[in-house]
Amino acid sequence: MTPRDRLIFALDVDNADEAENLVRLLAPEVGVFKVGLELFVSAGPEVISRVRRAGAKAIFLDLKLHDIPATMRAAARSAVGLGVDLITCHADQAGIFADMDLGGASLLGVTVLTSLGAEELGAMGYPPELCDPQALVLRRASLALAAGCAGVVCSGREAAAVRGLLGPEALVVCPGIRPASAETHDQKRVMTPERAMAAGASHIVVGRPIRTAADPVAAAQAMVQGIAAGLAQRSPA
Ligand code: C5P
């Protein structure tokens, strides 16, 4: 896997034309294009084939499924039928898919959204011992592991602990990535690409820092350089 293959770009736009333009522009720099709720709900399932035709080598359909088992299984079957490479559910629900054939798609369990910190977890009713995001992330990562997920989504701040729990082969996918001193937007648990990769991330997810940059291609290239620099800092296993 090259550093570029480890960069996931979030296509968080509300129409397929804009998504296609971004894929054409960024395909040489980006390994995986992520279609999330905004684009999927606005543009419909056809957007997946349009993104692929525009040049995406790999597609991550990030719907973060969370529902009753019958609905989850039916939705996953349809998502897999679209020919995507990665899908997500909330990690505490991953067991619902444990006996399911997901074809060529890898399942990732979303642990704790990177927009949540200790204060938000407390307000949501978590007991004090689970208001430390890392404690909750690890609890959910072990559920994902038990369910046979290919990996998890967590922030770079938990990447080292999660890597330790899941072992060297698991996918550890980290959103909430910001260059040093950049705006954090609605994200709480942010980290630079270098530090997330050095800590053990397999991939980083980046949206606004590339999409809203004056030069998105240069911003994506800088992310890939950050990935390479972080990998170089990893101590050999
Ligand atoms: O623009 P930004 O880089 O903050 O985008 C992050 C992307 O990662 C968004 O598409 C968001 O849905 C996704 N994501 C996240 N936190 C998670 C899981 C996914 O921010 N835990």
Side-chain angles (χ1 to χ4, degrees):
M1 220 192 298
T2 66
R4 188 196 63 168
D5 296 330
R6 298 173 183 273
L7 176 59
I8 302 176
F9 174 64
L11 283 166
D12 292 333
V13 293
D14 67 4
N15 67 86
D17 290 342
E18 205 179 331
E20 277 184 344
N21 289 338
L22 282 164
V23 174
R24 278 194 207 99
L25 180 70
L26 293 169
E29 328 300 335
V30 165
V32 183
F33 285 88
K34 184 172 88 71
V35 175
L37 280 178
E38 179 182 2
L39 181 58
F40 196 73
V41 171
S42 312
E46 312 75 55
V47 74
I48 300 296
S49 51
R50 288 185 63 175
V51 163
R52 196 175 294 284
R53 280 201 303 274
K57 289 169 291 296
I59 301 179
F60 172 5
L61 180 56
D62 182 23
L63 298 180
K64 301 186 183 70
L65 300 175
H66 191 285
D67 212 309
I68 61 169
T71 304
M72 295 272 285
R73 291 168 75 91
R77 223 170 274 121
S78 298
V80 167
L82 295 171
V84 296
D85 304 279
L86 289 164
I87 60 171
T88 45
C89 69
H90 281 265
D92 48 310
Q93 306 248 299
I96 289 169
F97 302 124
D99 63 341
M100 240 178 110
D101 178 8
L102 296 175
S106 296
L107 177 66
L108 298 175
V110 176
T111 56
V112 177
L113 294 173
T114 43
S115 54
L116 300 176
E119 201 180 316
E120 289 78 15
L121 294 174
M124 288 162 78
Y126 287 95
E129 67 274 17
L130 291 179
C131 285
D132 165 18
Q134 178 156 306
L136 191 54
V137 165
L138 287 174
R139 172 85 63 101
R140 291 186 174 163
S142 44
L143 293 174
L145 180 68
C149 285
V152 302
V153 182
C154 63
S155 92
R157 297 182 188 190
E158 300 98 35
V162 168
R163 173 64 64 206
L165 178 73
L166 299 187
E169 303 300 326
L171 301 179
V172 177
V173 175
C174 296
I177 297 297
R178 294 293 181 270
S181 76
E183 201 200 326
T184 56
H185 307 102
D186 54 356
Q187 299 283 23
K188 286 271 158 58
R189 305 194 328 276
V190 298
M191 218 183 211
T192 64
E194 290 91 332
R195 288 188 61 204
M197 293 307 301
S202 62
H203 296 77
I204 57 170
V205 180
V206 187
R208 286 162 291 188
I210 293 176
R211 204 174 66 249
T212 64
D215 183 345
V217 171
Q221 288 168 344
M223 289 290 167
V224 174
Q225 280 166 15
I227 291 170
L231 287 171
Q233 286 167 33
R234 273 196 205 168
S235 42

